[in-house]
């Protein structure tokens, strides 16, 4: 007899779990509070421009391939994937930038022009990162975070010291030039913590960057969401949009369903891919696993101030992905993690998808996405947003030697308050909970509730952690737990 699973949210982890559970024979329905699916990975369209609201980087293509192959599919069955060359560029000052190309050999050549002998160090560093990638992505991250023993194997014991040293210390031992150091420290920012607080083992992100490369799905990252939606529906999943969940019903310490839009829906299993902290507020207090004190003490990944901008001309001197590291990283990081406040001189990132994808902007125009990482929970209002837009556009013009402010057709912003309102995100965080040593694997919030039978969680606050590929994996992990504890036979 089929069992019913009700899923909260329709982001990557929820869609992933829905596909696996439907394939296994469960009756699956997704409840999404917004008008469109995708969670943080929605899309914004205006005047012929198309913007990915959330993730814009497509890394670790093998994880996407592994997901679709579990259903005898390929990404190419649903969307066109192009490898970017260059992958991205990094500005350090006016007309002073480093371009990262699409192969390790090219990147080594670039490094050598900046620091003599660095190409040899880089090859050693990336080989080590590749070994860690093979261990992590092909093995460790596919564990459900139930026991510390999941981390114990011959290969991990040999690398035990890598969990007690940091990416920052490793990078700075091997490279002296500050530009190269910042480029190599950049990828771990996707894990939500400072390089000084990220275990060395996570240098596998450098292999994802330099070894595997940066890709772009034609028409944007939302194509991946649409692909997963199509797959889910092919497998029999029902998706209900504009259906916020108001309460998780518990009887005799067991969930029996949910309340949404005033209606009660009965379920054998409830799975939340929504914000973990928010999901627990849908339970009566005795059934919540983690206190407010617990959450307040955790290291959360940053929030963001984002701008989606339509330009009335093509821009010069920028790539599809462009980073602006012309100010001191440690000062900005301090304003995110140590002394939460608005940074006076923020680093920022910009994406111009129309540089490589004509579908994202009208002819002879440019689509621009600007992102400033911020501490979660800080004050957010229109005046602050406009002030920071002026700051980064002024710097952008200076660094790239072009005037653009008068060529802006429109701009839309998205910040802390929007993350809270649209996604019920704890303190308005953008990326979930950071992967620090004490927030790794079994030390993260659990996939299975300890207090309510038949209640499960998935997504970037639980295992494996923040990012799109980990979210796909999280959906698979929780589906395996559900099929283990609630077999259909």
């Amino acid at each position: 007899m089929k069992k019913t699973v009700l899923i909260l949210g329709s982001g990557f982890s929820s869609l992933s779990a829905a596909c696996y559970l439907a394939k296994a024979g469960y009756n699956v329905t997704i409840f999404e509070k917004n008008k469109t699916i995708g969670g943080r990975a929605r899309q914004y369209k205006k005047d012929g421009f198309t913007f990915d609201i959330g993730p814009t980087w497509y890394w670790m293509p093998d994880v996407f391939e592994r997901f679709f192959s579990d259903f005898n599919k390929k990404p190419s069955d649903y969307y066109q994937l192009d490898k970017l060359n260059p992958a991205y560029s990094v500005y350090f000052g006016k007309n002073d930038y480093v371009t990262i190309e699409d192969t390790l050999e090219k990147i080594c050549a670039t490094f050598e022009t900046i620091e003599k002998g660095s190409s040899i160090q880089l090859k050693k560093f990336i080989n080590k990162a590749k070994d860690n990638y093979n261990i992590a992505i092909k093995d460790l991250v596919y564990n459900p975070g139930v026991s510390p023993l999941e981390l114990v194997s011959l290969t991990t014991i040999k690398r035990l010291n890598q969990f007690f040293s940091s990416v920052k210390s490793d990078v700075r031992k091997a490279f002296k030039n500050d530009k190269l150091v910042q480029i190599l420290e950049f990828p771990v920012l996707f894990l939500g913590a400072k390089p000084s607080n990220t275990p060395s083992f996570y240098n596998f992100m450098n292999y994802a960057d330099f070894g595997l490369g940066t890709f772009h799905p034609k028409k944007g990252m939302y194509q991946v969401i649409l692909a997963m939606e199509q797959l889910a529906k092919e497998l029999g999943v029902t998706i209900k949009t504009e259906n916020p969940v108001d309460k998780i019903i518990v009887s005799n310490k067991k969930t029996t369903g949910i309340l949404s839009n005033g209606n009660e829906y009965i379920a054998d299993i409830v799975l939340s891919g929504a914000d973990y902290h928010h999901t627990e507020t849908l339970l009566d207090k005795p059934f919540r696993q983690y206190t407010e004190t617990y959450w307040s003490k955790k290291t959360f990944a940053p929030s963001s101030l984002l701008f989606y901008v339509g330009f009335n001309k093509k821009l010069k001197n920028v790539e599809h992905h462009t980073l602006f590291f012309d100010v001191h990283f440690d000062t900005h990081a301090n304003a995110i993690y140590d002394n939460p406040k608005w940074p006076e001189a923020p680093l920022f990132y910009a994406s111009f998808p129309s540089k490589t994808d004509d579908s994202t902007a009208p002819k002879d125009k440019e689509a621009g996405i600007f992102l400033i990482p911020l501490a979660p929970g800080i004050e957010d209002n229109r005046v602050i947003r406009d002030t920071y837009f002026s700051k980064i556009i002024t710097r952008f013009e200076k660094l790239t030697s072009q005037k653009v402010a008068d060529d802006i057709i429109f701009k839309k912003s998205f910040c802390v308050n929007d993350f809270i309102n649209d996604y019920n995100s704890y303190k308005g965080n953008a990326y979930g909970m950071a992967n620090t040593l004490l927030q790794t694997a079994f030390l993260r919030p659990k996939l299975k509730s300890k207090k309510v039978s038949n209640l499960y969680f998935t997504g970037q606050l639980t295992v494996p952690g923040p990012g799109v590929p980990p979210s796909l994996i999280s959906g698979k992990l929780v589906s395996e737990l559900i099929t283990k504890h609630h077999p259909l036979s």
Side-chain angles (χ1 to χ4, degrees):
M1 181 177 171
K2 277 202 170 187
K3 291 184 178 178
T4 297
V5 182
L6 303 184
I7 299 179
L8 282 63
S10 63
F12 284 107
S13 59
S14 291
L15 288 170
S16 171
C19 290
Y20 284 110
L21 290 167
K23 180 188 176 188
Y26 294 79
N27 187 357
V28 181
T29 301
I30 289 174
F31 289 76
E32 168 57 54
K33 75 183 286 286
N34 294 311
K35 289 182 181 180
T36 56
I37 67 164
R40 286 166 166 78
R42 294 181 298 154
Q43 214 170 42
Y44 171 58
K45 293 188 176 186
K46 182 177 173 68
D47 299 344
F49 292 84
T50 300
F51 305 88
D52 282 313
I53 289 179
T56 53
W57 292 80
Y58 191 108
W59 273 6
M60 304 184 187
D62 50 318
V63 175
F64 295 86
E65 289 162 8
R66 183 167 173 175
F67 168 78
F68 284 107
S69 71
D70 284 341
F71 304 92
N72 296 316
K73 302 283 188 180
K74 303 184 298 294
S76 59
D77 293 333
Y78 298 98
Y79 54 87
Q80 178 186 326
L81 199 61
D82 298 319
K83 190 173 188 181
L84 296 181
N85 184 31
Y88 56 91
S89 62
V90 186
Y91 269 89
F92 296 98
K94 184 176 181 179
N95 298 322
D96 177 14
Y97 58 89
V98 176
T99 298
I100 301 300
E101 295 184 81
D102 62 338
T103 69
L104 182 57
E105 285 304 315
K106 292 177 186 176
I107 297 167
C108 282
T110 298
F111 269 48
E112 196 65 28
T113 64
I114 297 169
E115 179 182 320
K116 192 167 180 59
S118 62
S119 62
I120 298 168
Q121 290 296 330
L122 182 61
K123 286 177 182 176
K124 290 178 183 175
F125 189 83
I126 296 301
N127 281 337
K128 189 175 180 180
K130 181 179 181 180
D131 287 343
N132 286 348
Y133 187 91
N134 288 332
I135 295 163
I137 303 304
K138 295 178 181 177
D139 184 14
L140 285 184
V141 296
Y142 285 91
N143 286 316
V146 173
S147 165
L149 296 178
E150 293 171 3
L151 294 178
V152 179
S153 69
L154 188 59
T155 51
T156 55
I157 288 171
K158 287 179 180 177
R159 290 165 173 77
L160 192 61
N161 66 312
Q162 292 188 37
F163 288 92
F164 295 97
S165 61
S166 73
V167 166
K168 180 175 182 175
S169 64
D170 282 9
V171 168
R172 288 166 191 263
K173 282 176 190 172
F175 302 91
K176 303 306 176 194
N177 183 276
D178 194 51
K179 292 177 184 178
L180 302 186
V181 165
Q182 289 187 68
I183 290 169
L184 285 164
E185 288 180 347
F186 148 68
V188 302
L189 299 179
F190 285 104
L191 301 173
K194 293 190 294 186
S196 58
N197 290 338
T198 304
S200 298
F201 183 75
Y202 285 107
N203 70 9
F204 64 71
M205 292 296 290
N206 292 109
Y207 176 70
D209 180 2
F210 289 0
L212 297 175
T214 302
F215 296 79
H216 172 73
K218 184 75 171 173
K219 298 184 181 180
M221 285 290 288
Y222 197 65
Q223 295 306 303
V224 186
I225 289 290
L226 295 178
M228 296 177 75
E229 177 191 32
Q230 183 179 334
L231 176 60
K233 288 182 175 178
E234 289 169 359
L235 292 164
V237 174
T238 300
I239 300 175
K240 293 178 177 287
T241 55
E242 297 184 271
N243 265 263
V245 174
D246 305 308
K247 189 174 181 65
I248 296 172
I249 303 166
V250 178
S251 177
N252 296 321
K253 297 184 179 180
K254 177 181 177 180
T255 179
T256 57
I258 61 170
L259 287 177
S260 175
N261 286 344
N263 299 311
E264 182 175 339
Y265 295 86
I266 304 302
D268 298 294
I269 297 139
V270 172
L271 165 61
S272 180
D275 179 271
Y276 205 123
H277 169 269
H278 168 73
T279 303
E280 290 223 308
T281 69
L282 304 178
L283 295 162
D284 292 332
K285 276 193 174 180
F287 303 118
R288 299 174 191 174
Q289 304 169 88
Y290 305 107
T291 64
E292 290 298 321
T293 302
Y294 169 89
W295 293 112
S296 68
K297 289 182 177 179
K298 292 298 171 185
T299 301
F300 273 79
S303 185
S304 298
L305 169 55
L306 291 131
F307 295 99
Y308 311 100
V309 185
F311 291 96
N312 200 29
K313 67 177 183 181
K314 301 302 286 185
L315 303 191
K316 301 180 297 182
N317 305 328
V318 290
E319 304 297 345
H320 184 127
H321 295 300
T322 308
L323 303 163
F324 294 86
F325 286 2
D326 56 306
V327 297
H328 206 278
F329 171 81
D330 288 341
T331 305
H332 188 163
N334 179 272
I336 296 175
Y337 298 103
D338 305 319
N339 181 27
K341 62 181 179 181
W342 280 88
E344 288 192 22
L347 290 83
F348 65 98
Y349 152 69
S351 174
F352 304 97
S354 46
K355 282 287 173 189
T356 55
D357 188 343
D358 292 340
S359 72
T360 59
K363 191 175 187 305
D364 298 325
K365 294 178 171 57
E366 205 86 88
I369 301 167
F370 295 82
L371 181 153
I372 302 172
L374 299 171
I378 60 175
E379 181 186 5
D380 170 25
N381 60 51
R382 182 66 54 189
V383 173
I384 295 174
R385 295 186 190 193
D386 287 344
T387 298
Y388 275 79
F389 184 73
S390 296
K391 282 188 177 189
I392 63 172
I393 285 298
T394 299
R395 274 176 44 211
F396 178 84
E397 289 183 325
K398 178 183 176 183
L399 293 166
T400 63
S401 300
Q402 62 187 318
K403 294 292 184 183
V404 300
D406 292 338
D407 295 289
I408 293 172
I409 305 168
F410 65 84
K411 78 174 191 297
K412 176 184 173 65
S413 63
F414 197 96
C415 197
V416 173
N417 293 343
D418 301 300
F419 281 102
I420 293 170
N421 293 333
D422 287 9
Y423 311 130
N424 296 309
S425 173
Y426 181 72
K427 291 187 177 181
N429 81 80
Y431 308 109
M433 189 182 288
N435 263 335
T436 60
L437 177 61
L438 296 179
Q439 294 181 177
T440 292
F442 66 95
L443 296 172
R444 297 179 71 81
K446 302 301 181 187
L447 292 169
K448 185 178 188 298
S449 173
K450 296 176 286 187
K451 291 196 172 183
V452 180
S453 296
N454 299 12
L455 176 60
Y456 294 81
F457 300 84
T458 187
Q460 55 191 11
L461 267 70
T462 183
V463 292
V468 177
S471 293
L472 294 179
I473 295 166
S474 187
K476 179 173 187 174
L477 295 178
V478 77
S479 70
E480 290 171 347
L481 272 188
I482 289 170
T483 55
K484 175 183 175 182
H485 291 289
H486 309 277
L488 293 178
S489 54

